């Protein structure tokens, strides 16, 4: 299943969840109303029940369930870091000295570079001895990855990488947003059971009372008991739906993790250790019922297989190692610490490959393979320490992001630096110039990885400073009135990621666009890409026609040539339209852009990174492309 199919599957699952939630709410409201009617009938002095009481009961029960769901969803709208913090997570700082946590950060950063998404916030659940992990958030821009202390101390690097690769598949496949919605739905359905338990406790305390209040105690007790039963009925129904959705996603995530690492030993080793570990994958600090569907392995004891959110542990292992038997689980004592061996990875130029096809590029979207993960490890290791330190510092990351927006050709650099001196002063503008020079020495292959590494530090800046950053970056790009597509795409990726982090629950593609608007925007983008590729009119026209051919009948053979002298506002409007087309259309669009760049049968690093920047601006994460001669 490719990236676009996975996105569609997540959206279909979300729609099914909404339908089931509505049905469950209606059934529970009907049952609550019937329970109240029964209570009034058996305890009242008359057999006639006022319909307004039942209507009021139904309305209040509906408002209670929906209100609880909206409340929980609003609490979680702060994004993945809020979920990790509520579960007891401790952030892993960029300058951490502990070798185990440093290894975790390096693995996560390498996987981010390989996946083409911003580095998520990283947490350790210090109070949890079980081996477990999760990814949480609405979008890649607000994602967080957390691992338990047991996983950190017990797994070796390959096993940890397998677990992190599993969690990244959830980020790339759109599973996180569904998981958070599940948490809101479950809380809404469970709230009746919670109220029922409060009522029961109150009825028992009320036994000490006498007179009229004592005579009403049986009815209160019956209502409380009924609410508890109804609450658990709703929870059981939700568990069944959650299990049906989650099991398949967990199997797909295991398969994706193997594709990322091209070896089964790491992920299989982590699962085997869970089976033989004294603390298993249990979560203690929070109720695992609420979060079981987003964990690497189910975090509770004694749950019936019917309601398990994960396939049986032995079944997952046998999918990776067919020779495995359950008696092969090796006993692993709690807190068996593994050395934090840190592989440096191969150099960034360790592979040779023929130019990929447009179909292969579209098919690799959101699905890095082992070679690309190894390339990402080499890229991470190849970034100089001064740039790593700058990317990890909120103050310096601000300057580093501006350095990425400067003109790479150098023609407009003096004018840009003058503007920076006026706005930021000579000292900080000198730092930006130094970072720009360092990035130029590294080459275009390192620019997107550096931006991805800097993102966690950037989003910790106050909103008004981030607005100033984006405004200044726009001015850098528009210095001479001519928009360089490469620098613009960096601006767009930065702006989109920061917007996702600032307001994750409301981020989305919005309403679908009309066919004509989508077609005009797609043709314009392909024309702009073709114009960037050559100074010769004939070569540009050939590239443009190659891109159009990927659209098939969707675009006529001779569309009107669009005006390509665009401003940032016009390019923003174009990409806003293209981000809202359906998955099939976006896949075709990526194929068309790739065909435009590949029209001459060659692909150098500069072209490969332009393609990745365009795809990132379209919210289509493309792994590093291994070009010929690397």
């Amino acid at each position: 299943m490719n990236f676009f199919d996975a996105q569609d599957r997540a959206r279909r699952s979300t729609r099914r969840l909404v339908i089931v939630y509505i049905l469950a709410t209606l059934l529970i409201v009907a049952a609550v109303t019937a329970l109240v009617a029964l209570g009034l009938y058996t305890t009242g002095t008359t057999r006639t029940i006022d319909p307004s009481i039942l209507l009021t009961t139904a309305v209040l029960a509906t408002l209670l369930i929906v209100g609880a769901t909206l409340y929980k969803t609003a609490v979680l709208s702060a994004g993945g870091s809020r979920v990790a913090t509520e579960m007891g997570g401790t952030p892993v700082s960029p300058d951490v000295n502990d070798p185990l946590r440093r290894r975790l950060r390096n693995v996560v950063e390498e996987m981010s570079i390989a996946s083409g998404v911003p580095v998520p916030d990283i947490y350790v659940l210090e109070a949890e001895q079980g081996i477990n992990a999760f990814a949480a958030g609405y979008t890649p821009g607000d994602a967080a990855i957390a691992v338990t202390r047991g996983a950190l101390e017990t797994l070796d690097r390959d096993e940890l990488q397998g677990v992190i690769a599993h969690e990244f598949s959830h980020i790339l496949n759109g599973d996180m947003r569904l998981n958070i919605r599940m948490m809101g739905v479950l809380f809404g359905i469970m709230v009746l059971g919670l109220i029922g338990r409060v009522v029961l406790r109150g009825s028992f305390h009320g036994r000490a009372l006498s007179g009229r209040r004592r005579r009403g105690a049986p009815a209160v007790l019956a209502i409380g008991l009924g609410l508890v039963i109804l609450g658990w009925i709703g929870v059981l129904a939700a568990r069944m739906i959650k299990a049906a959705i989650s099991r398949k996603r967990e199997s797909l995530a295991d398969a994706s993790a193997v594709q990322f690492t091209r070896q089964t030993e790491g992920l299989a080793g982590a699962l085997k250790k869970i089976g033989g570990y004294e603390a298993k994958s249990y979560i203690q600090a929070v109720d695992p019922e609420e979060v079981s569907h987003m964990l690497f392995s189910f975090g509770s004891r004694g749950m019936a297989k019917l309601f398990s959110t994960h396939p049986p542990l032995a079944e997952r292992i046998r999918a990776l190692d067919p020779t495995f038997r359950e008696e092969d689980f090796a006993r692993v004592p709690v807190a068996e610490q593994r050395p934090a061996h840190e592989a440096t990875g191969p150099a960034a130029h360790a592979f040779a490959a023929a130019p990929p096809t447009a179909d292969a590029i579209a098919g690799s979207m959101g699905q890095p393979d082992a070679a690309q993960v190894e390339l990402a490890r080499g890229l991470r290791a190849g970034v100089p320490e001064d740039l790593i330190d700058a990317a990890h510092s909120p103050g310096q990351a601000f300057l580093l992001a501006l350095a990425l927006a400067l003109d790479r050709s150098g023609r407009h650099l003096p004018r840009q630096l003058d503007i920076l001196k006026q706005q930021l002063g000579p000292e900080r503008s000198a730092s930006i110039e130094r970072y720009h020079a360092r990035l130029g020495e590294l080459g275009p292959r390192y620019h997107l990885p550096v931006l991805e590494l800097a993102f966690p530090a950037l989003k910790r800046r106050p909103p008004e400073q981030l607005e100033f950053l984006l405004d200044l970056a726009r001015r850098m790009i528009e210095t001479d009135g001519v928009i360089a597509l490469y620098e613009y795409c960096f601006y767009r990726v930065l702006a989109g990621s920061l917007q996702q982090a600032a307001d994750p629950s409301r981020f989305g593609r919005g309403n679908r666009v009309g066919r004509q608007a989508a077609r005009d925007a797609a043709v314009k983008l392909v024309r702009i890409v073709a114009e960037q590729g050559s100074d010769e009119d004939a070569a540009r026209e050939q590239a443009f026609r190659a891109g159009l051919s990927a659209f098939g009948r969707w675009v006529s053979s001779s569309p009107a040539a669009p005006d390509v002298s665009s401003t940032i506002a016009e390019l923003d409007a174009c990409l806003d339209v293209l981000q809202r087309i359906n998955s099939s259309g976006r896949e075709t669009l990526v194929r068309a852009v790739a065909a435009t760049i590949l029209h001459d049968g060659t692909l150098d690093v500069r072209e490969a990174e332009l393609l990745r920047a365009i795809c990132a601006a379209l919210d289509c994460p493309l792994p590093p492309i291994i070009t010929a001669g690397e």
Side-chain angles (χ1 to χ4, degrees):
M1 180 177 295
N2 67 21
F3 169 79
F4 302 99
D5 289 338
Q7 297 285 316
D8 282 340
R9 174 174 51 82
R11 281 190 285 272
R12 288 194 298 270
S13 295
T14 299
R15 289 193 289 268
R16 288 197 297 268
L17 180 65
V18 171
I19 293 172
V20 171
Y21 171 70
I22 292 173
L23 293 176
T25 299
L26 292 175
L27 289 173
I28 293 173
V29 167
V32 169
T33 305
L35 178 65
V36 171
L38 179 62
L40 293 173
Y41 183 82
T42 56
T43 60
T45 57
T46 175
R47 299 305 184 191
T48 302
I49 301 174
D50 187 352
S52 63
I53 296 177
L54 300 184
L55 179 60
T56 301
T57 299
V59 171
L60 291 177
T62 302
L63 291 176
L64 180 63
I65 295 172
V66 175
T69 298
L70 294 177
Y71 163 77
K72 188 65 174 181
T73 302
V75 168
L76 297 173
S77 66
S81 293
R82 177 62 178 267
V83 177
T85 301
E86 287 196 344
M87 291 183 64
T90 300
V92 178
S93 64
D95 58 350
V96 63
N97 293 320
D98 174 66
L100 291 172
R101 285 154 183 78
R102 169 61 63 182
R103 180 186 66 181
L104 171 64
R105 173 164 283 279
N106 287 351
V107 169
V108 172
E109 289 182 346
E110 291 164 9
M111 198 61 65
S112 293
I113 293 172
S115 304
V117 297
V119 175
D121 293 325
I122 307 169
Y123 289 82
V124 174
L125 306 183
E126 299 285 0
E128 303 295 349
Q129 291 186 330
I131 300 173
N132 225 319
F134 67 83
Y138 279 91
T139 64
D142 78 299
I145 282 183
V147 303
T148 59
R149 181 170 60 85
L152 196 64
E153 295 178 348
T154 307
L155 304 181
D156 63 28
R157 194 187 202 280
D158 287 342
E159 293 163 348
L160 181 64
Q161 186 182 50
V163 172
I164 297 301
H166 174 103
E167 298 307 326
F168 262 87
S169 75
H170 289 312
I171 295 176
L172 294 168
N173 292 339
D175 295 335
M176 295 188 306
R177 194 179 189 95
L178 175 61
N179 285 340
I180 285 188
R181 284 172 172 164
M182 279 189 176
M183 292 176 71
V185 166
L186 288 175
F187 185 78
I189 294 176
M190 289 174 63
V191 73
L192 285 175
L194 296 173
I195 293 174
R197 286 195 288 272
V198 172
V199 172
L200 283 178
R201 285 196 295 269
S203 67
F204 284 121
H205 290 303
R207 288 184 177 180
L209 301 175
S210 59
R212 188 178 306 170
R213 294 183 66 182
R214 178 182 291 179
R215 288 193 296 271
V220 174
L221 181 63
I223 291 174
L225 181 61
L227 288 175
V228 169
I229 294 172
L230 288 172
W232 276 107
I233 290 173
V235 169
L236 291 176
R239 281 180 180 175
M240 294 179 68
I241 299 302
K242 183 173 67 170
I245 293 174
S246 296
R247 286 182 187 176
K248 182 66 174 177
R249 293 186 298 120
E250 294 302 324
S251 296
L252 290 172
D254 283 351
S256 294
V258 172
Q259 175 180 309
F260 291 176
T261 59
R262 199 179 292 172
Q263 52 97 2
T264 61
E265 290 80 5
L267 183 60
L271 294 170
K272 290 174 183 177
K273 282 186 176 176
I274 290 174
Y277 192 47
E278 292 178 8
K280 302 294 183 184
S281 58
Y282 301 145
I283 297 293
Q284 307 291 338
V286 297
D287 182 5
E289 171 64 44
E290 191 175 358
V291 298
S292 62
H293 58 285
M294 67 185 211
L295 297 175
F296 172 69
S297 182
F298 188 63
S300 182
R301 307 171 188 262
M303 176 55 64
K305 291 183 179 180
L306 175 64
F307 302 121
S308 176
T309 52
H310 295 68
L313 192 62
E315 180 181 314
R316 293 175 71 184
I317 296 173
R318 278 194 289 269
L320 304 169
D321 178 6
T323 65
F324 175 78
R325 298 175 301 174
E326 291 192 48
E327 53 266 30
D328 294 336
F329 279 125
R331 184 179 180 276
V332 182
V334 170
E336 176 188 310
Q337 294 197 12
R338 298 285 174 178
H341 172 68
E342 190 57 57
T344 58
H349 302 284
F351 304 95
T357 65
D359 288 342
I361 287 174
S364 71
M365 193 73 60
Q367 300 188 77
D369 61 20
Q372 290 162 326
V373 172
E374 290 301 305
L375 175 59
R377 181 183 296 184
L379 290 170
R380 171 61 178 80
V383 178
E385 282 301 317
D386 59 333
L387 291 185
I388 290 288
D389 292 341
H392 287 165
S393 165
Q396 296 302 307
F398 183 96
L399 305 180
L400 188 59
L402 288 171
L404 286 165
L406 295 180
D407 175 31
R408 292 191 302 156
S409 70
R411 291 192 298 270
H412 310 294
L413 187 60
R415 173 59 181 151
Q416 291 174 330
L417 291 175
D418 285 342
I419 295 174
L420 290 174
K421 286 179 184 178
Q422 296 171 11
Q423 296 295 319
L424 301 175
E427 184 176 345
R428 287 193 288 179
S429 63
S431 295
I432 295 171
E433 185 176 10
R434 185 175 68 254
Y435 291 145
H436 176 69
R438 293 287 276 158
L439 290 165
E441 294 169 3
L442 288 175
R445 172 68 87 190
Y446 286 85
H447 291 186
L448 266 178
V450 168
L451 181 61
E452 290 157 359
L453 291 173
F455 178 69
L458 278 174
K459 68 181 183 180
R460 293 201 296 271
R461 300 287 295 243
E464 59 273 12
Q465 293 183 14
L466 295 179
E467 290 178 9
F468 176 67
L469 168 64
L470 293 177
D471 180 66
L472 197 52
R474 287 175 69 104
R475 292 179 62 185
M476 295 300 99
I477 298 170
E478 292 180 319
T479 301
D480 64 342
V482 178
I483 308 302
L485 185 58
Y486 190 85
E487 283 77 12
Y488 165 76
C489 287
F490 266 85
Y491 162 79
R492 178 76 183 198
V493 172
L494 175 64
S497 297
L498 291 176
Q499 289 165 5
Q500 289 181 23
D503 197 3
S505 65
R506 291 177 174 82
F507 184 86
R509 288 187 292 276
N511 298 325
R512 298 298 182 203
V513 296
R515 183 184 181 90
Q516 187 61 47
R519 183 163 47 209
D520 292 345
V523 171
K524 181 170 186 176
L525 178 61
V526 169
R527 172 64 79 177
I528 291 172
V529 173
E531 293 290 326
Q532 296 277 323
S534 176
D535 294 329
E536 298 179 3
D537 291 340
R540 289 198 294 263
E541 187 63 22
Q542 289 175 2
F544 179 54
R545 295 298 164 184
L548 290 186
S549 66
F551 288 122
R553 296 180 180 178
W554 190 55
V555 173
S556 62
S557 58
S558 301
D563 177 15
V564 295
S565 58
S566 302
T567 65
I568 282 184
E570 291 170 327
L571 282 171
D572 278 341
C574 178
L575 290 183
D576 285 342
V577 168
L578 295 175
Q579 283 180 319
R580 299 202 302 273
I581 63 179
N582 60 27
S583 294
S584 176
R586 287 202 294 159
E587 184 174 10
T588 302
L589 176 64
V590 170
R591 191 177 290 110
V593 172
T596 303
I597 293 176
L598 290 166
H599 79 283
D600 57 358
T602 63
L603 183 70
D604 59 26
V605 173
R606 183 189 64 82
E607 292 172 326
E609 291 309 301
L610 173 60
L611 177 56
R612 293 187 69 221
I614 294 170
C615 289
L618 290 167
D619 290 329
C620 298
L622 186 63
I625 302 171
I626 303 171
T627 58
E630 287 196 279

